[in-house]
Amino acid sequence: MISTVLVANRGEIACRIFRTCRELGIGTVAVYSDADENALHARVADAAVRLPGATPAETYLRGDLIVKAAVAAGADAVHPGYGFLSENAGFARAVADAGLTWIGPPPEAIEAMASKTRAKELMGIAPLDQVTEADLPVLVKAAAGGGGRGMRVVRHLADLDAELAAARAEAASAFGDGEVFVEPYVENGRHVEVQILADTHGTVWALGTRDCSLQRRHQKVIEEAPAPGLTASLTEDLYEQAIRAARAVDYAGAGTVEFLVADGKAHFLEMNTRLQVEHPVTEAVCGVDLVALQLRVAEGHALETDPPRARGHAVEARLYAEDPANGWAPQTGRLHRLAVPDGIRLDTGYTDGDDIGVHYDPMLAKAVAHAPTRTEAIRLLAGALERAAVHGPLTNRDLLVRSLRHEEFTAGRMDTGFYDRHLPELTAPAPDPLAPLAAALADAHGRSRFGGWRNLPSQPQVKRYAMAGEEHEVRYRHTRTGLTADGVRVVHADARLVVLEADGVRRRYEVARYGDRVHVNATALTALPRFPDPTTQHAPGSLLAPMPGTVVRVAEGLTEGTAVQAGQPLLWLEAMKMEHKITAPVTGTLTTLHAVPGQQVTVGSLLAVVGET
């Protein structure tokens, strides 16, 4: 029997595994990097062991240090979570060699399936060795790991070598393995997967399907179970292929077999020999705890002959600290508040007041809704996200709400090209026009000791806010009867709640302010000073860092005086385990180059200047 589990991971998945362990009376051990010293997963575990360093290569990818931590803390089992070393056969063997229980599949199964190239060979599929124009578009993919890292779509043969190099570098950074391969890229297919669970006694469950077609940068954004609109015969084919893949490698534990569904056919993609990020939707519809079942299998228990029946529908949305309208750029900073209404499940690795750093994935939480029907589950999740308090850096919350309510998604007609087609409309600014007034009135009340009224004729008070990229000026007055604004009736105003009535409709506005950042319901604003700060001005053509990170590469041969074309890649930043390309804003000449490889930069740092010709 397992008594204490070390989770070789961080953040949301570590917290989620700890929750099940506590429910089963199992002790917990966390590992944490220097960047995660105060992270939630390190705080909630029974014991925590430091991994010196900040980058994944120094910490969560150091299997030797993690095994030593498990032994030192008295753990008798290791759960890898997802990502990092979860699909590393060498790490699984090291855990077993140390006399610890590995909560995952046998190392041989990981070895066979963790390499995408070998997995395809097992399923009778050969990758492309030589790419020609006739093969385009193609997908460059990391052989180890997942999560969209080390993955590139190539549409022009001339771009292949550069994209191969970029994919190798990103895969090596994320997984410690730079091997990549090339396969045909199927446009606008559906990403459908089957959750499997196998014991060591020969039983393999297919626990239903999931649809994960809504993706950005090859990373899933919204997932659901079961996958809508599949025929019975296609579903049966998916189950058969998934079970065949599991039996081919004598699989044990939880895993996922992924497919691309196009033209009514299922095309095998890969098998993930670990727990998936989106496993909660399967748990919801099947009424199981997959982590608890992983623990039971690791202890040698047998599964029931037949899997549980699915009931209802579940939808999951991943809440990221990112700017979807700006190339999905990750965001950092203090998460002041994260709260969702009752009735949905929230899996997260953050609590109020935690900092979102630059070293790891920007996912804040997963919100999951379960209901008798798909329509009800979608409505429940969209409504909960819309009313959630997410105070801090910019997030994809509005994008999630709009995606869930988009007619293509509600009708079940989505595919992996969804965001390619609809991103502009899904990210078009639509702030509440009364939000600046509510912010100003709450601020006026909060800063005024006596309510702000003076026994003199009062000029309008003026405040300025930045909202959705535009400046908004607000005017209001202090009177004997309280605060007033032209054309709007102020029903109530205090530092946290403002009630306004316009055109006969009364609305409530909850207001929270953190420095110059103001959150009014779901609208975020920035309070502006009365006079602009001239030191914040930059010359035209300036390239500013869109996020904090590290300069990893500068384009070959790029020096001051080089002629550049608009859109030409000039340098690359690495932030949150992803590379981000910085391009020339105009056609002209590079007049200034501040960025050098290895340099740490903050948001707004001046990287270079291009003078327009």
Side-chain angles (χ1 to χ4, degrees), residues 6 38 44 86 91 137 154 219-220 229 249 366-367 397-399 407 420 461 472 481 590:
L6 178 143
N38 297 311
V44 300
S86 62
F91 179 55
V154 180
Q219 285 187 311
K220 300 160 188 173
V249 293
K366 303 179 312 196
R397 186 260 298 277
D398 291 347
L399 174 89
E407 60 179 359
D420 292 335
Q461 300 294 306
H472 295 260
T481 58
L590 185 72

Side-chain angles (χ1 to χ4, degrees), residues 186-193 209-215 224 226-231 234-235 238 258-267 269 313 374 409 411-417 421:
V186 179
E187 299 272 15
N188 302 332
R190 287 178 59 186
H191 186 117
V192 176
E193 58 192 33
T209 58
R210 296 189 289 252
D211 189 295
C212 310
S213 296
L214 266 63
Q215 303 177 5
E224 60 181 305
L230 301 182
T231 64
L234 179 54
T235 300
L238 290 164
E258 300 193 344
F259 301 88
L260 194 65
V261 172
D263 300 323
K265 297 180 180 179
H267 305 270
L269 287 175
H313 202 94
R374 182 174 187 265
F409 181 79
R413 293 186 285 105
M414 64 286 179
D415 56 51
T416 56
R421 294 190 300 274

